[in-house]
Amino acid sequence: MAGNTTGQVFRLTTFGESHGSIIGGIIDGCPSGIRIDRQFISNEMQRRRAGQSSGSTSRIETDEVEIVSGLLDDITTGTPIGLLIKNTQQNSKDYEHLKDVYRPSHADYSYDKKYGVFDHKGGGRSSARETAVRVAAGAIAKLLLAHSGIKIDAYVFAVGNISMPETQYYERNSIDKSPVRCPEPDVSIQMQNYIEKLQADGDTCGGAIVCYLNNLPPGLGEPVFDKLQASLAAAMMSIPSAKAFEYGSGFESIHLKGSQNSDNFAIREEVVIPYRNSAGGILGGISTGQPIWFKVAFKAVSSLMKERESFNRKGEKVIIPAGGQHDVCVVPRAVAVVEAMAALVLADHLLRQRSARV
Amino acid sequence: MAGNTTGQVFRLTTFGESHGSIIGGIIDGCPSGIRIDRQFISNEMQRRRAGQSSGSTSRIETDEVEIVSGLLDDITTGTPIGLLIKNTQQNSKDYEHLKDVYRPSHADYSYDKKYGVFDHKGGGRSSARETAVRVAAGAIAKLLLAHSGIKIDAYVFAVGNISMPETQYYERNSIDKSPVRCPEPDVSIQMQNYIEKLQADGDTCGGAIVCYLNNLPPGLGEPVFDKLQASLAAAMMSIPSAKAFEYGSGFESIHLKGSQNSDNFAIREEVVIPYRNSAGGILGGISTGQPIWFKVAFKAVSSLMKERESFNRKGEKVIIPAGGQHDVCVVPRAVAVVEAMAALVLADHLLRQRSARV
Amino acid sequence: MAGNTTGQVFRLTTFGESHGSIIGGIIDGCPSGIRIDRQFISNEMQRRRAGQSSGSTSRIETDEVEIVSGLLDDITTGTPIGLLIKNTQQNSKDYEHLKDVYRPSHADYSYDKKYGVFDHKGGGRSSARETAVRVAAGAIAKLLLAHSGIKIDAYVFAVGNISMPETQYYERNSIDKSPVRCPEPDVSIQMQNYIEKLQADGDTCGGAIVCYLNNLPPGLGEPVFDKLQASLAAAMMSIPSAKAFEYGSGFESIHLKGSQNSDNFAIREEVVIPYRNSAGGILGGISTGQPIWFKVAFKAVSSLMKERESFNRKGEKVIIPAGGQHDVCVVPRAVAVVEAMAALVLADHLLRQRSARV
Amino acid sequence: MAGNTTGQVFRLTTFGESHGSIIGGIIDGCPSGIRIDRQFISNEMQRRRAGQSSGSTSRIETDEVEIVSGLLDDITTGTPIGLLIKNTQQNSKDYEHLKDVYRPSHADYSYDKKYGVFDHKGGGRSSARETAVRVAAGAIAKLLLAHSGIKIDAYVFAVGNISMPETQYYERNSIDKSPVRCPEPDVSIQMQNYIEKLQADGDTCGGAIVCYLNNLPPGLGEPVFDKLQASLAAAMMSIPSAKAFEYGSGFESIHLKGSQNSDNFAIREEVVIPYRNSAGGILGGISTGQPIWFKVAFKAVSSLMKERESFNRKGEKVIIPAGGQHDVCVVPRAVAVVEAMAALVLADHLLRQRSARV
């Protein structure tokens, strides 16, 4: 079966290509009774929009989300929620010269191998354009999660070789102050300068995002294959350009002894909890009720502002002219996508958890 | 819904607790016509078995796999394959003193929060004992993959601070020569010494495994949510103690510019291919036909050979005596589990791919 | 999980309410390489449209289907197909007097019990309006099935007490000649007269549809729970107003002895086949390659052209005025829906079957 | 994907062939906290066992169910429940003469067409032997349903031409008094006589089962594709030999006018309810809280006690000797299977319903 659905109880199915007239999705399984705050959705979309920082793509979409079903007086009714976002900046004709051409490090090649055809217009389905729908759906997931007090906050941890000193929780306010969504002002400025320099060079760069999940109830996650970290990892690795995922002590775990990394329990306010939370909020695939944090690494965008050689489907050499619409660094915009995917995972597990006990 | 099934077309569902009489699983969706080589399955099980290297648990199971359905004259018939593995070393009485006790950094606590009950006998369902079934099913997945020539080879890359110099492909022979499954003989010896030292200290350690997937056909992976890397990440992060996953350039991608990490195409034997494979064998979530490699990090086992303080369900302080059955370092045995999970993912995507074209 | 998705490999997810601005759906898993014939889709939609025979609802929608993704030059690309159909005749204000009112024998009551809310505007999600999307998606499924030569033909077998003499196959031409889609001209006229009489009385009636599946390859259907007849039954019983399903000898089987109803094999054109096909084209849940036929019974529409008493959510008695938009007999229009659902089931099983053998 | 799993939240996956050593299944998604009454399960199995009435197969299995996981002190823990039932009467050698032979009206032929292989030993996977696992799992589903007070009662309504006068509810006591599970004593005796006569003739017969679902909460069922009647129909049509399904007014609906079949609401004990329940307990695919009843028709067993001609895979004519193990009429034993499948459907929908509201 094809892979355009995510989630089991709270499910999102999406459609749409980069340069089609419209992209969209259906949320099935959203409970009734949630007030849909359109301004909130709009704000979330805004965080993913291009044009907020240096090095942003020249394609700027308004990204207005139409909700065409599933509501009565702005309250969810339990029926599927149809989401539509018009592509206003698509211009298919701009892409005629790429017909049958494999752009280097893009998915044209692998789509062609899989389907025997590929949409040459801006990457078609493989474009990160589709993540706009994820952010819209993630906003609705967040409104569900808000009923349980759950909070999700991601920020840019590293861009190229410029990195924050350590992983810790930041308020959204301090994150959103930064045009690159890095909550440490000094580091933020360095990141912007670096991105501007790369832009001048016609180059691009990778980066990393850290995400915190707070106020989670204990009990989320389904052993043995759908452990919470497994669902989060799949969700993050489904984001275009993501190359790595770690949670809690992550790769550092390799170097830690059991005596260093194992956590004792303690009593806090008459309740037993793991007191250092060295596990990162998950034990045996199930949330403990303590904060979860994870990091996602993104590679540099493969489009460069340089003329490049490549091949077409017939194996003929072709020259791809410099140009195209892309970001120098996707991670500032990907913050919204990481949060949206985390929200979709948590909404799904929150509902799945309702069947755990008789 | 609960999470004891993995895969969509080639699906494994498992059951069983660490100290139950039996563990097992059902493979549904295995195509007919595959010859089941029982010796091969037995060899795969052997690679996961305890007792092959220093620091291994004292619980040594025979791990004989009974295949009780789905075969006619040792050929698969297309009907579900029932797998049963008897627990021969379980002794539930040994665990009475742990009734209602939360062992530090184990899943007792989170299972209790989720289900209102937990099996105190050796971790119950949260024990890595369940991975024996994954290895048995993975062996059958490998037999399916062998029809397409696909190969899977994992090895231990790091144990604590002892690490191989670089990620590259190794033949299984060189891997299996090492009791810790590290194909570089010098590093292997250092790892063994380190594990022995930790054992003497009553401590444990983490490590990392690298896995190579070779001879994959192009076209495996389902955009957008079930990208091949997303399925692999979920599978790996579902293994007990796994804390991080990366593929291709992984976390290093953060530091690479597009001009460094983007790959051009080239012609090899009259066929267009990405010539450096800097993407790590996957573009847009779909295999390119070139090698895929990924790394998984594991934390140290949380059981220590030391008396420890903890709490029980009532919030009373308890002393857990030193002892119990566990490995000093799980990664040598986890090599078989990583390969099995990779095999399950690839078998599933291989069959899913059959519906890509009319 | 909610139930707005059907199919496992060829999957349709739908959204939309009767009086929303738009209804639609996403087909995920449609193979690449199918030419989409828009005229064919339009014809299929036309068969479900109101206004073709006596007793039809006064709400007449144009039902133009927009395909907004998944195509390149009108050929499927393997990516999800977005389908949108605008509601042009919705007028939500017409329904203010029904706010909080349970219409007799409608789903307002049960939706309210389930979700704590219901959309009073024309039945909301429970309206048969949603079947328009099924017909659009079914048309695409038929285009896939046409690659294998599979044909689906349904007709009206009975309306009230007026029934055809026996179940047999009819060509679509002879079916479509009849405004009530009954291929026997005499019976067709009686049905029309009966419907007109009921309309004059302000009453409604039930009916039955027979459907034939021809040129199926053997091997479709998945034992044991997803037998072909199980999938067909679920699909048919998901159609609004459907009350019964039978295939092959159906309810008549109760009265037949094994010696009457069991079928011998014979050789036809050097191939072994079940020669009478008394099983109705399915043995053990798997198609034999011979014709399959089934019958679906529909109840009368519950809306009557009469003033009626009912209750609102508070338990207060209310009077519902005569009126509203509905058909006297839905079965002529349901022919298109029955075919569409059969097409969706067969498309799904055709693709599932691709994994049966190594 | 293959079809050996049923349910979405409360899920059963089964394995096993008629003449394998063992059959079994895994329930995944059973909530924690249910006391497993082994005597109750044993009683349920007993109702399906052969040997209780005339015309029963000579193969009499003890059908003892081993529960090998998912319990602690006989209380469910939320982890998967492994069910094993040994086949004690299988004797594979008895079937060597049927190797490669297509038995008339059996599934050998269609399995061969699907998988390129079939298990000739007693029907392999297509044998009704697999329904023993359904009854075991259904018993556990009933224990879950009992927490909500839900009751399921099925009985034999017709055998051949001998039928009860009308559909109504009967207590289980009156049903179980009858060896053919027909609660009307006179009709029961006629049925037994008829079966004995057919046995003497070496013939077999069909029949019908009626099932009542009582004390259901309103709100079960998921529009639009997973309506409660759709799930019930699929479950019933997945039972071997089932040919037809109807609920509420069923096929009779064809003949009823809206003015006859549409139901008004009334106030009972200060609550609004549909007062005649002509809908049969379901409106818009969702339970109303009133009784649901449905009928399932079964064809006669295809095995006759007569020598028969048939063909083998090569197209050669073969003679199948009289004999084999089968029932003259399966419906008395199928009562337990109908109830079990209904229980699995309701358990699943009961848990799915937990996500309907925020």
Side-chain angles (χ1 to χ4, degrees):
Chain A
M1 60 205 298
N4 297 285
T5 297
T6 186
Q8 307 232 14
V9 177
F10 189 98
R11 319 187 80 180
L12 171 67
T13 305
T14 68
F15 70 85
E17 279 86 30
S18 178
H19 286 66
S21 58
I22 205 163
I23 59 176
I26 303 172
I27 299 173
D28 198 19
C30 184
S32 68
I34 301 170
R35 178 166 295 281
I36 296 302
D37 177 342
R38 287 165 196 272
Q39 187 57 50
F40 174 74
I41 297 174
S42 182
N43 291 349
E44 292 287 297
M45 295 303 289
Q46 181 65 22
R47 297 183 90 212
R48 186 197 154 278
R49 274 187 72 207
Q52 301 173 78
S53 66
S54 319
S56 167
T57 174
S58 59
R59 176 175 174 184
I60 301 182
E61 290 281 353
T62 49
D63 281 345
E64 278 169 34
V65 181
E66 263 189 283
I67 304 178
V68 292
S69 67
L71 302 186
L72 191 68
D73 301 334
D74 276 3
I75 307 283
T76 59
T77 61
T79 62
I81 298 172
L83 302 169
L84 301 179
I85 302 170
K86 290 210 176 74
N87 285 333
T88 58
Q89 299 292 311
Q90 92 280 18
N91 193 344
S92 300
K93 284 179 205 149
D94 296 353
Y95 290 87
E96 276 311 300
H97 65 290
L98 290 176
K99 179 108 176 160
D100 291 340
V101 170
Y102 298 140
R103 290 171 302 151
S105 279
H106 281 83
D108 310 323
Y109 177 81
S110 51
Y111 269 67
D112 196 22
K113 296 295 176 193
K114 183 176 189 73
Y115 298 113
V117 59
F118 67 95
D119 188 337
H120 56 283
K121 299 189 293 281
R125 183 70 178 154
S126 73
S127 162
R129 178 78 194 126
E130 58 90 6
T131 61
V133 185
R134 305 191 191 199
V135 173
I140 292 174
K142 283 183 179 182
L143 292 172
L144 164 60
L145 296 172
H147 281 257
S148 303
I150 298 170
K151 285 189 61 191
I152 300 173
D153 295 284
Y155 57 86
V156 172
F157 180 80
V159 162
N161 288 318
I162 299 155
S163 178
M164 286 172 61
E166 63 175 331
T167 302
Q168 61 180 78
Y169 172 73
Y170 289 90
E171 294 278 352
R172 187 190 264 219
N173 276 350
S174 62
I175 298 166
D176 278 1
K177 266 184 211 152
S178 158
V180 290
R181 309 242 179 262
C182 173
E184 289 288 350
D186 294 353
V187 184
S188 173
I189 288 167
Q190 291 174 54
M191 288 176 174
Q192 292 170 71
N193 292 341
Y194 181 62
I195 289 170
E196 281 169 24
K197 184 180 165 306
L198 285 171
Q199 187 170 28
D201 296 348
D203 212 336
T204 60
C205 69
I209 290 173
V210 164
C211 185
Y212 272 80
L213 313 176
N214 280 292
N215 298 343
L216 244 71
L220 306 196
E222 299 292 333
V224 294
F225 295 114
D226 296 353
K227 293 185 167 113
L228 193 53
Q229 66 270 38
S231 296
L232 286 169
M236 296 307 141
M237 295 305 292
S238 81
I239 301 174
S241 299
K243 299 292 286 188
F245 170 89
E246 64 176 11
Y247 86 99
S249 51
F251 272 109
E252 180 60 17
S253 309
I254 299 169
H255 309 294
L256 296 171
K257 295 180 191 172
S259 54
Q260 298 167 312
N261 203 19
S262 166
D263 203 356
N264 283 331
F265 288 99
I267 299 266
R268 287 290 173 278
E269 296 169 21
E270 303 188 28
V271 174
V272 179
I273 59 159
Y275 82 104
R276 282 190 320 168
N277 190 21
S278 60
I282 304 174
L283 285 172
I286 300 169
S287 68
T288 61
Q290 296 184 291
I292 294 173
W293 65 94
F294 59 84
K295 192 188 285 180
V296 188
F298 291 87
K299 68 171 183 179
V301 173
S302 297
S303 298
L304 307 179
M305 278 302 189
K306 294 171 181 172
E307 193 180 274
R308 291 182 82 172
E309 264 190 14
S310 194
F311 291 86
N312 65 16
R313 301 177 79 186
K314 294 178 202 154
E316 299 161 342
K317 203 168 277 191
V318 293
I319 302 295
I320 302 175
Q325 296 171 313
H326 67 84
D327 295 272
V328 172
C329 182
V330 295
V331 293
R333 294 176 62 199
V335 164
V337 184
V338 164
E339 288 191 7
M341 291 308 299
L344 291 169
V345 166
L346 295 183
D348 190 41
H349 277 284
L350 191 72
L351 297 177
R352 290 170 79 170
Q353 164 63 357
R354 291 188 180 182
S355 302
R357 303 186 188 192
V358 76
Chain B
M1 60 205 297
N4 296 286
T5 297
T6 186
Q8 307 234 13
V9 177
F10 190 98
R11 318 187 80 179
L12 171 66
T13 305
T14 68
F15 70 86
E17 278 88 28
S18 179
H19 286 67
S21 60
I22 204 162
I23 59 175
I26 303 174
I27 299 173
D28 198 19
C30 184
S32 67
I34 300 169
R35 178 166 295 282
I36 296 302
D37 177 342
R38 288 164 196 272
Q39 187 56 50
F40 174 74
I41 297 174
S42 182
N43 292 349
E44 293 287 297
M45 296 303 289
Q46 181 64 23
R47 297 183 89 212
R48 186 196 154 279
R49 273 186 72 207
Q52 301 173 76
S53 66
S54 320
S56 167
T57 174
S58 59
R59 177 176 174 183
I60 301 182
E61 289 283 352
T62 51
D63 281 346
E64 277 168 33
V65 181
E66 264 191 281
I67 303 178
V68 292
S69 67
L71 302 186
L72 191 68
D73 302 333
D74 276 3
I75 308 283
T76 59
T77 61
T79 62
I81 299 172
L83 302 170
L84 300 179
I85 302 170
K86 290 209 176 75
N87 285 333
T88 57
Q89 299 293 311
Q90 92 279 18
N91 193 344
S92 299
K93 286 178 206 151
D94 296 352
Y95 289 88
E96 278 310 302
H97 65 290
L98 290 176
K99 180 107 176 160
D100 290 340
V101 171
Y102 298 141
R103 290 171 302 151
S105 279
H106 281 83
D108 310 324
Y109 177 81
S110 51
Y111 270 67
D112 195 22
K113 296 295 175 191
K114 183 177 189 73
Y115 298 114
V117 60
F118 67 95
D119 187 338
H120 56 283
K121 299 189 294 282
R125 182 68 179 155
S126 74
S127 162
R129 177 76 194 127
E130 58 89 7
T131 61
V133 184
R134 305 191 191 199
V135 173
I140 292 174
K142 283 184 179 181
L143 292 172
L144 164 60
L145 296 172
H147 280 257
S148 303
I150 297 169
K151 287 189 61 190
I152 299 172
D153 294 284
Y155 57 86
V156 172
F157 180 79
V159 162
N161 289 317
I162 299 155
S163 177
M164 287 174 59
E166 63 175 333
T167 302
Q168 62 180 77
Y169 173 72
Y170 290 90
E171 294 278 352
R172 187 190 264 220
N173 276 350
S174 62
I175 298 165
D176 278 1
K177 265 185 211 150
S178 158
V180 290
R181 309 245 180 259
C182 173
E184 287 289 349
D186 294 354
V187 184
S188 173
I189 289 168
Q190 292 174 53
M191 288 175 174
Q192 292 171 71
N193 293 342
Y194 181 63
I195 290 170
E196 281 169 25
K197 183 179 167 305
L198 285 171
Q199 188 170 27
D201 296 349
D203 212 335
T204 60
C205 70
I209 289 173
V210 164
C211 184
Y212 271 81
L213 313 176
N214 281 293
N215 298 342
L216 245 74
L220 306 196
E222 299 291 332
V224 294
F225 296 114
D226 296 353
K227 293 187 167 107
L228 192 52
Q229 66 269 38
S231 296
L232 287 169
M236 296 308 141
M237 295 305 292
S238 81
I239 301 174
S241 299
K243 299 292 285 188
F245 170 89
E246 64 176 11
Y247 86 99
S249 51
F251 272 109
E252 180 60 18
S253 309
I254 300 169
H255 309 294
L256 296 171
K257 296 180 191 170
S259 55
Q260 298 166 311
N261 202 19
S262 165
D263 202 357
N264 284 330
F265 288 99
I267 301 265
R268 288 288 174 277
E269 296 170 22
E270 303 187 30
V271 174
V272 180
I273 60 157
Y275 80 104
R276 283 191 318 168
N277 190 22
S278 58
I282 303 175
L283 285 172
I286 301 170
S287 68
T288 61
Q290 295 183 291
I292 294 172
W293 66 93
F294 60 83
K295 191 188 285 180
V296 188
F298 292 87
K299 69 170 181 179
V301 172
S302 297
S303 299
L304 306 180
M305 278 302 187
K306 296 170 180 169
E307 194 179 273
R308 292 182 82 172
E309 264 189 13
S310 194
F311 291 87
N312 65 17
R313 300 176 80 186
K314 294 177 204 155
E316 299 161 341
K317 203 168 276 191
V318 293
I319 302 295
I320 303 174
Q325 295 172 315
H326 67 85
D327 294 272
V328 171
C329 182
V330 294
V331 293
R333 294 175 62 198
V335 164
V337 184
V338 164
E339 288 190 6
M341 291 309 298
L344 291 169
V345 167
L346 295 182
D348 190 41
H349 277 284
L350 191 72
L351 296 178
R352 289 170 79 171
Q353 164 62 359
R354 290 188 181 183
S355 302
R357 303 187 188 192
V358 77
Chain C
M1 58 204 301
N4 296 285
T5 297
T6 187
Q8 307 234 12
V9 177
F10 189 99
R11 320 188 80 179
L12 172 66
T13 304
T14 68
F15 70 86
E17 279 87 28
S18 179
H19 286 66
S21 59
I22 205 161
I23 58 174
I26 303 173
I27 299 174
D28 198 20
C30 184
S32 68
I34 300 170
R35 177 166 296 278
I36 296 302
D37 177 342
R38 287 163 196 272
Q39 187 56 51
F40 174 74
I41 297 174
S42 181
N43 291 350
E44 292 287 297
M45 295 303 290
Q46 181 64 22
R47 299 183 88 213
R48 186 196 155 279
R49 275 187 72 208
Q52 303 173 76
S53 66
S54 319
S56 167
T57 174
S58 59
R59 176 176 174 183
I60 301 182
E61 289 283 353
T62 49
D63 281 345
E64 277 168 33
V65 181
E66 263 189 281
I67 304 178
V68 292
S69 67
L71 302 185
L72 190 70
D73 301 334
D74 276 3
I75 308 284
T76 59
T77 61
T79 62
I81 299 172
L83 302 169
L84 300 179
I85 303 170
K86 290 209 175 72
N87 285 334
T88 58
Q89 299 293 309
Q90 92 280 17
N91 192 344
S92 299
K93 285 178 204 149
D94 296 353
Y95 289 87
E96 278 310 302
H97 64 291
L98 290 175
K99 179 108 177 161
D100 290 340
V101 170
Y102 298 141
R103 291 169 302 150
S105 279
H106 281 82
D108 310 323
Y109 178 80
S110 51
Y111 270 67
D112 196 21
K113 295 295 176 192
K114 183 177 189 73
Y115 299 112
V117 59
F118 67 95
D119 187 338
H120 56 284
K121 300 188 294 280
R125 183 69 179 155
S126 74
S127 161
R129 177 78 194 125
E130 59 89 7
T131 61
V133 184
R134 305 192 192 199
V135 173
I140 292 174
K142 282 185 177 180
L143 292 171
L144 164 61
L145 296 172
H147 281 258
S148 303
I150 298 170
K151 285 189 62 191
I152 300 172
D153 294 284
Y155 57 87
V156 172
F157 181 79
V159 162
N161 288 318
I162 299 154
S163 177
M164 289 173 58
E166 63 175 333
T167 302
Q168 60 180 78
Y169 172 73
Y170 289 90
E171 293 278 353
R172 186 190 264 219
N173 276 350
S174 61
I175 298 165
D176 279 0
K177 266 185 211 150
S178 159
V180 291
R181 310 243 179 259
C182 173
E184 287 289 349
D186 293 355
V187 184
S188 172
I189 288 168
Q190 291 175 55
M191 288 176 173
Q192 292 170 70
N193 292 342
Y194 180 64
I195 290 171
E196 281 169 23
K197 185 180 165 308
L198 284 171
Q199 188 171 28
D201 295 348
D203 212 336
T204 60
C205 70
I209 290 173
V210 164
C211 184
Y212 271 81
L213 313 177
N214 280 293
N215 298 342
L216 246 70
L220 306 196
E222 299 292 333
V224 296
F225 295 113
D226 296 353
K227 292 185 167 113
L228 192 52
Q229 65 270 37
S231 296
L232 287 168
M236 297 306 141
M237 295 304 292
S238 80
I239 301 174
S241 298
K243 299 292 286 189
F245 169 89
E246 64 176 12
Y247 86 100
S249 52
F251 273 109
E252 181 60 17
S253 309
I254 300 169
H255 310 292
L256 296 171
K257 295 179 192 171
S259 55
Q260 297 167 311
N261 203 18
S262 166
D263 203 357
N264 283 330
F265 289 98
I267 299 265
R268 288 289 175 277
E269 297 170 20
E270 302 187 29
V271 174
V272 180
I273 59 158
Y275 81 103
R276 284 191 318 169
N277 190 21
S278 60
I282 303 174
L283 284 171
I286 300 170
S287 67
T288 61
Q290 295 183 292
I292 294 172
W293 66 94
F294 61 84
K295 193 188 285 178
V296 188
F298 292 86
K299 69 170 181 179
V301 173
S302 297
S303 298
L304 305 179
M305 278 303 188
K306 294 169 180 170
E307 195 179 272
R308 292 183 83 171
E309 264 190 12
S310 194
F311 291 87
N312 64 18
R313 301 177 78 186
K314 295 177 202 153
E316 299 161 342
K317 203 169 276 189
V318 293
I319 302 296
I320 302 174
Q325 296 171 313
H326 67 84
D327 295 271
V328 172
C329 182
V330 295
V331 292
R333 293 176 62 198
V335 164
V337 184
V338 164
E339 287 191 6
M341 291 309 298
L344 291 170
V345 167
L346 295 183
D348 191 41
H349 277 286
L350 192 71
L351 296 178
R352 289 169 78 171
Q353 164 62 1
R354 291 189 180 181
S355 302
R357 303 187 188 192
V358 76
Chain D
M1 58 205 301
N4 296 285
T5 297
T6 186
Q8 307 233 12
V9 176
F10 190 98
R11 321 188 78 180
L12 171 66
T13 305
T14 68
F15 70 85
E17 278 87 29
S18 179
H19 286 67
S21 59
I22 205 162
I23 58 176
I26 303 172
I27 299 173
D28 198 20
C30 184
S32 67
I34 301 169
R35 178 166 296 281
I36 296 302
D37 177 342
R38 288 164 195 273
Q39 188 57 50
F40 173 74
I41 297 174
S42 181
N43 292 349
E44 292 287 297
M45 296 302 289
Q46 181 65 21
R47 297 184 89 214
R48 187 197 153 278
R49 274 187 71 207
Q52 302 174 77
S53 66
S54 320
S56 167
T57 175
S58 59
R59 176 177 174 182
I60 301 182
E61 290 283 352
T62 49
D63 282 345
E64 279 168 33
V65 181
E66 264 189 281
I67 304 179
V68 292
S69 67
L71 302 186
L72 189 70
D73 301 334
D74 276 2
I75 308 282
T76 58
T77 60
T79 63
I81 299 172
L83 302 168
L84 300 179
I85 302 170
K86 290 210 175 73
N87 284 333
T88 58
Q89 300 292 310
Q90 92 281 18
N91 193 343
S92 299
K93 285 180 204 148
D94 296 353
Y95 289 88
E96 277 311 301
H97 65 289
L98 290 176
K99 178 107 177 163
D100 291 339
V101 170
Y102 298 140
R103 290 170 303 149
S105 279
H106 280 83
D108 310 324
Y109 177 81
S110 51
Y111 270 68
D112 196 21
K113 296 295 176 193
K114 183 176 190 74
Y115 298 114
V117 60
F118 67 95
D119 187 338
H120 57 284
K121 300 188 292 282
R125 182 71 179 153
S126 73
S127 161
R129 177 77 195 125
E130 58 90 7
T131 61
V133 183
R134 304 191 192 199
V135 173
I140 292 173
K142 283 184 178 181
L143 292 171
L144 164 61
L145 297 172
H147 281 257
S148 303
I150 298 169
K151 285 190 60 190
I152 300 172
D153 294 284
Y155 57 86
V156 172
F157 180 80
V159 162
N161 289 318
I162 299 154
S163 177
M164 288 173 61
E166 62 174 333
T167 302
Q168 61 180 78
Y169 172 73
Y170 290 89
E171 294 277 353
R172 186 190 264 219
N173 276 350
S174 61
I175 298 166
D176 278 0
K177 268 185 210 152
S178 158
V180 290
R181 309 241 179 260
C182 173
E184 287 289 350
D186 293 354
V187 185
S188 173
I189 289 167
Q190 291 174 55
M191 288 176 174
Q192 291 170 70
N193 292 342
Y194 180 63
I195 289 171
E196 281 169 24
K197 186 180 165 304
L198 285 172
Q199 187 170 28
D201 296 349
D203 213 336
T204 60
C205 71
I209 290 172
V210 164
C211 184
Y212 271 80
L213 313 177
N214 281 292
N215 298 344
L216 244 72
L220 306 196
E222 299 291 333
V224 297
F225 295 114
D226 296 353
K227 293 188 165 104
L228 192 53
Q229 65 270 39
S231 296
L232 287 168
M236 297 307 142
M237 295 304 293
S238 80
I239 301 174
S241 299
K243 300 291 286 189
F245 170 89
E246 64 176 11
Y247 86 100
S249 51
F251 272 109
E252 181 60 18
S253 310
I254 300 169
H255 309 293
L256 296 171
K257 295 179 191 170
S259 55
Q260 298 168 310
N261 202 19
S262 166
D263 203 356
N264 283 330
F265 288 98
I267 300 264
R268 287 288 174 278
E269 296 169 21
E270 301 187 30
V271 174
V272 179
I273 60 157
Y275 82 103
R276 284 190 319 168
N277 190 19
S278 59
I282 303 174
L283 284 172
I286 300 169
S287 68
T288 62
Q290 295 183 291
I292 294 172
W293 65 93
F294 60 84
K295 192 188 285 178
V296 189
F298 292 87
K299 69 170 182 179
V301 172
S302 297
S303 299
L304 306 179
M305 278 301 187
K306 294 171 181 169
E307 194 179 273
R308 293 182 82 172
E309 264 190 11
S310 195
F311 291 87
N312 64 19
R313 301 177 79 186
K314 294 177 202 154
E316 299 162 342
K317 204 169 274 191
V318 292
I319 302 295
I320 302 174
Q325 295 171 315
H326 68 84
D327 296 271
V328 172
C329 182
V330 295
V331 293
R333 293 176 62 199
V335 164
V337 184
V338 164
E339 288 191 6
M341 290 309 298
L344 291 170
V345 166
L346 294 183
D348 190 42
H349 277 285
L350 191 72
L351 296 178
R352 289 169 78 171
Q353 165 61 0
R354 291 189 179 182
S355 303
R357 302 187 189 191
V358 75

